[in-house]
């Protein structure tokens, strides 16, 4: 039951951010779905005992992969889906706690929260970058195999003639 509530809240949070960023209406549901997928990965991995930094990496990696697929499907920039999709993963509460502890002169606790927020942010960025490289490699392999098949069929056709 908890996971269903988590997914519903992440969908509406992501779709709400997409509305704020004025994305096209036909992509609102898909933007929400991207956020749900990313949060689902993050939530399942943290429930199974994985560190939040690593779970954020894998969550953002999946968000970027799904955003790539939707960007190709709708022929729109990928940023439309990524910006809304990573919102549930952003450690805003942790950054708030870091600043609150610094203001309350609890520097050690504030430093801990700040470092953790910094690491999570870096993991999100690395997840996005790794997904971009992964998708570029896949597209290149698809392109090369397609051109090789075309060359092969062209050569086969010239051999027959």
């Amino acid at each position: 039951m908890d996971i269903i509530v988590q997914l519903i809240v992440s969908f509406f949070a992501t779709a709400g951010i997409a509305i704020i960023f004025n994305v096209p209406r036909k992509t609102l549901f898909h933007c929400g779905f991207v956020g749900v997928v990313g949060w689902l990965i993050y939530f399942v991995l943290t429930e199974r005992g994985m560190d939040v930094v690593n779970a954020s990496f894998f969550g953002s990696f999946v968000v970027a992969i799904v955003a790539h697929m939707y960007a190709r499907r709708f022929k729109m920039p990928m940023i439309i889906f990524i910006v809304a999709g990573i919102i549930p993963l952003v450690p805003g509460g942790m950054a708030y706690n870091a600043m609150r502890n610094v203001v309350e002169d609890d520097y050690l606790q504030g430093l801990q929260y700040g470092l953790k927020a910094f690491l999570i942010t870096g993991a999100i960025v690395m997840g996005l970058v790794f997904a971009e490289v992964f998708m570029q490699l896949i597209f290149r392999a698809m392109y090369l195999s397609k051109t090789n098949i075309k060359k092969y069929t062209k050569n086969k056709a010239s051999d027959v003639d």
Side-chain angles (χ1 to χ4, degrees), residues 50-159:
M50 185 180 273
D51 186 43
V52 292
V53 175
N54 295 334
S56 296
F57 171 82
F58 288 115
S60 66
F61 183 84
V62 172
V63 162
I65 296 291
V66 175
H68 256 286
M69 291 189 295
Y70 280 144
R72 286 188 156 261
R73 178 177 171 196
F74 290 107
K75 298 187 184 337
M76 292 183 174
M78 195 175 83
I79 196 83
I80 290 174
F81 302 102
I82 282 184
V83 169
I86 63 167
I87 289 298
L89 301 175
V90 171
M94 211 170 284
Y96 170 78
N97 283 334
M99 289 309 298
R100 185 175 56 91
N101 284 314
V102 167
V103 169
E104 292 174 351
D105 291 335
D106 189 4
Y107 296 114
L108 193 58
Q109 189 69 28
L111 188 62
Q112 265 184 327
Y113 279 121
L115 185 60
K116 194 80 167 183
F118 180 74
L119 288 174
I120 291 172
T121 305
I124 291 170
V125 170
M126 292 308 292
L128 296 176
V129 168
F130 277 30
E132 177 67 25
V133 170
F134 180 72
M135 292 304 287
Q136 292 298 324
L137 289 174
I138 287 177
F139 292 146
R140 179 174 295 206
M142 288 171 50
Y143 174 75
L144 289 176
S145 68
K146 193 181 291 182
T147 56
N148 285 341
I149 289 173
K150 283 182 182 174
K151 282 182 184 175
Y152 178 77
T153 54
K154 189 181 281 183
N155 289 340
K156 240 356 184 186
S158 65
D159 288 344

